[in-house]
Amino acid sequence: MKGKVESLLTQGKLPRHIVVIMDGNGRWANRKGFDRISGHKEGMKSVKSVVKASRELGIKAVTLFAFSAQNWKRPKSEVNALMELLKEYLIKEVNRLVEKEIKLNAIGRLWELPSDVYEVLVKTIEKTKLCKEMTLTLALSYGGREEIIDAIKKIISDGISPEDLHEEIFSQFLYTSNLPEPDLLIRTSGEIRLSNFLLWQLAYTEIYVTKTLWPDFKKKHLIRALINYQNRERRFGLTSDQIRKREVN
Ligand code: IPE
Ligand code: IPE
Ligand code: MG
């Protein structure tokens, strides 16, 4: 049976692609008197919960910011723990992903990952490549500016001429070329910034910031974000009137 909040969702359109800045693991741990790594471990439970809930709700694409290009500068012990947790997640979850028809995808400078993590990642992507119900993308060693620079480098080396370059072509050179535009960005822990996430792709994404720390963020919080999204009017530069007419037709 659907919960009371969940049933509210049936009244509106669901986002096709949700992207999440999973933030606040360290503060969660701090508040409890634990070390930061315990916060990351607890955060993995929220990853599982949000992936499961998204799949149940019929969301087609979820992208999680798991490790930024800038996060390499954190203490080595924390970086190592994050890499181990990622590997553990992939190894433990692969069967469930296949069973639930969830295709794994990854974006970022993946070649910068430790080779053991990279290998497990590639294997998991391979094992889930035929899954069709949902795409789960992990942003790893990811930075929006880095992505734009990488795209420009490819555009130049492919010899694309300036008159052929337009938005759609440019998008094809980004790591996200196979994904729909993000409809909803969720950032936990109350920080109101993008932190170098999907700088190009977020142009018209609806932004939802919650004070809830990532390890506390579960299905009911996701549903709250979705209900909030459903009450937005996405205008894309048009007027309300134009949007309403478009919806009727
Ligand atoms: C998010 O939590 C996880 C990563 C960035 C890898 P943080 O580790 O940033 O937690 P806070 O922001 O310090 O609380
Ligand atoms: C963004 O969080 C990166 C991830 C969630 C992986 P950060 O905690 O690194 O961002 P800042 O430092 O607060 O901007
Ligand atoms: Mg943070």
Side-chain angles (χ1 to χ4, degrees):
M1 204 180 80
K2 279 187 181 168
K4 208 170 152 196
V5 246
E6 193 170 337
S7 60
L8 282 173
L9 272 183
T10 52
Q11 294 164 14
K13 226 168 140 184
L14 282 174
R16 208 150 62 108
H17 185 189
I18 303 175
V19 301
V20 188
I21 302 178
M22 312 185 285
D23 199 13
N25 292 353
R27 276 162 285 168
W28 181 92
N30 248 323
R31 282 178 203 175
K32 295 224 174 320
F34 303 153
D35 59 11
R36 294 180 54 86
I37 293 162
S38 312
H40 296 312
K41 280 192 187 142
E42 200 61 28
M44 294 309 293
K45 294 185 192 164
S46 295
V47 170
K48 289 178 198 161
S49 166
V50 165
V51 169
K52 183 168 184 276
S54 302
R55 172 70 180 84
E56 283 166 5
L57 294 167
I59 308 287
K60 286 294 169 196
V62 174
T63 296
L64 303 176
F65 199 5
F67 193 86
S68 76
Q70 287 65 36
N71 289 150
W72 292 114
K73 293 190 209 111
R74 290 191 179 195
K76 211 169 178 328
S77 55
E78 183 170 341
V79 170
N80 290 344
L82 282 164
M83 290 300 137
E84 278 309 305
L85 279 172
L86 169 63
K87 206 167 85 177
E88 202 182 296
Y89 170 81
L90 295 170
I91 294 169
K92 283 199 182 151
E93 289 300 303
V94 62
N95 290 339
R96 204 192 312 267
L97 294 176
V98 173
E99 184 197 327
K100 299 288 177 200
E101 286 282 326
I102 300 172
K103 177 177 168 165
L104 187 79
N105 178 39
I107 55 171
R109 291 184 169 168
L110 306 177
W111 56 90
E112 292 176 352
L113 293 168
S115 56
D116 59 331
V117 177
Y118 181 79
E119 272 168 36
V120 175
L121 180 67
V122 169
K123 269 190 201 149
T124 315
I125 289 172
E126 176 64 26
K127 282 188 186 156
T128 61
K129 72 175 184 202
L130 298 175
C131 295
K132 295 236 153 32
E133 288 302 318
M134 185 175 113
T135 301
L136 168 64
T137 301
L138 299 179
L140 299 165
S141 192
Y142 174 87
R145 287 186 174 178
E146 288 78 354
E147 178 181 31
I148 291 170
I149 293 285
D150 288 348
I152 294 170
K153 282 185 182 170
K154 269 192 261 163
I155 288 169
I156 294 170
S157 70
D158 282 12
I160 307 283
S161 63
E163 51 290 359
D164 290 336
L165 187 59
H166 50 79
E167 279 185 24
E168 266 165 48
I169 295 284
F170 188 78
S171 298
Q172 284 169 22
F173 282 87
L174 294 170
Y175 310 143
T176 50
S177 57
N178 295 322
L179 291 169
E181 300 254 315
D183 299 302
L184 172 65
L185 163 70
I186 298 173
R187 181 162 189 158
T188 58
S189 89
E191 307 296 354
I192 312 173
R193 56 174 170 263
L194 296 179
S195 300
N196 204 13
F197 192 42
L198 300 174
L199 297 180
W200 169 276
Q201 297 86 341
L202 292 174
Y204 268 106
T205 304
E206 295 297 322
I207 301 176
Y208 177 86
V209 175
T210 171
K211 286 216 161 75
T212 305
L213 301 173
W214 179 250
D216 292 325
F217 192 93
K218 305 289 174 201
K219 182 174 183 174
K220 75 168 186 203
H221 304 91
L222 175 68
I223 291 171
R224 265 184 222 152
L226 293 172
I227 291 170
N228 186 291
Y229 168 83
Q230 290 182 331
N231 288 302
R232 308 274 182 101
E233 183 181 58
R234 302 185 74 186
R235 288 194 285 275
F236 302 96
L238 307 185
T239 67
S240 275
D241 256 8
Q242 288 175 301
I243 295 295
R244 276 195 294 270
K245 274 186 201 130
R246 218 165 54 165
E247 273 165 13
V248 173
N249 296 326

